[in-house]
Amino acid sequence: MRLTVPARAALAAASLLALAACGDTSEPDPLPTETPMPVEPDGGIGDGAGPPGGDATDEMEQTIPAGLQGRWGMTTNDCDASRSDGKGLLTVGSQSLTFYESVGTLASVAERDASHIVASFDWEWTRTETLRLVGATLTRSTNGGDGSGGPFEYERCT
């Protein structure tokens, strides 16, 4: 039997449809989804490590050096706790400077070594304080806030 061109085309189309009907009609597998990697609050990659530079050395560099800490007086009377006129008393803590009626909290450190610090302190204003220990004398200078001042000299209270 001989088929005409239109009949051959119809047969070919029917064959293709039959083959397609016999094939797999299931949906193709979806593309695999990516598992998001957790991001740390510091922008890290979720490896559990803390922020860069968060070690004890950095924390120590954000404190007032131990050799500068303590009670310092401009005069001998400033160191006498029984007196009420010790307005020249300066108490240096690891994170603060305390005067007669005010406390400045360490905000940031610009320079630091065992015998000096240049740092910003938050009072009712922000001001830069420089503390330098030379021998038994602590020298303090200020810049900012209510103006520049100093140098002021203090002796350690005993």
Side-chain angles (χ1 to χ4, degrees), residues 51-118:
D55 62 13
T57 302
D58 288 343
E59 290 174 18
M60 194 165 173
E61 289 178 1
Q62 294 301 311
T63 62
I64 298 170
L68 305 178
Q69 295 177 31
R71 293 172 21 107
W72 300 86
M74 295 181 92
T75 69
T76 305
N77 289 340
D78 292 333
C79 294
D80 186 350
S82 67
R83 297 182 63 113
S84 62
D85 62 348
K87 295 181 182 176
L89 177 66
L90 167 64
T91 303
V92 180
S94 65
Q95 297 279 316
S96 64
L97 301 178
T98 304
F99 290 100
Y100 179 66
E101 292 182 335
S102 59
V103 176
T105 304
L106 182 65
S108 65
V109 176
E111 296 176 30
R112 180 190 189 281
D113 66 24
S115 63
H116 95 284
I117 187 168
V118 177

Side-chain angles (χ1 to χ4, degrees), residues 138-154:
L138 179 71
T139 303
R140 180 180 64 88
S141 301
T142 64
N143 186 8
D146 60 351
S148 298
F152 304 101
E153 293 187 348
Y154 299 84

Side-chain angles (χ1 to χ4, degrees), residues 37-52:
M37 184 176 280
V39 176
E40 298 292 320
D42 68 345
I45 60 169
D47 60 0

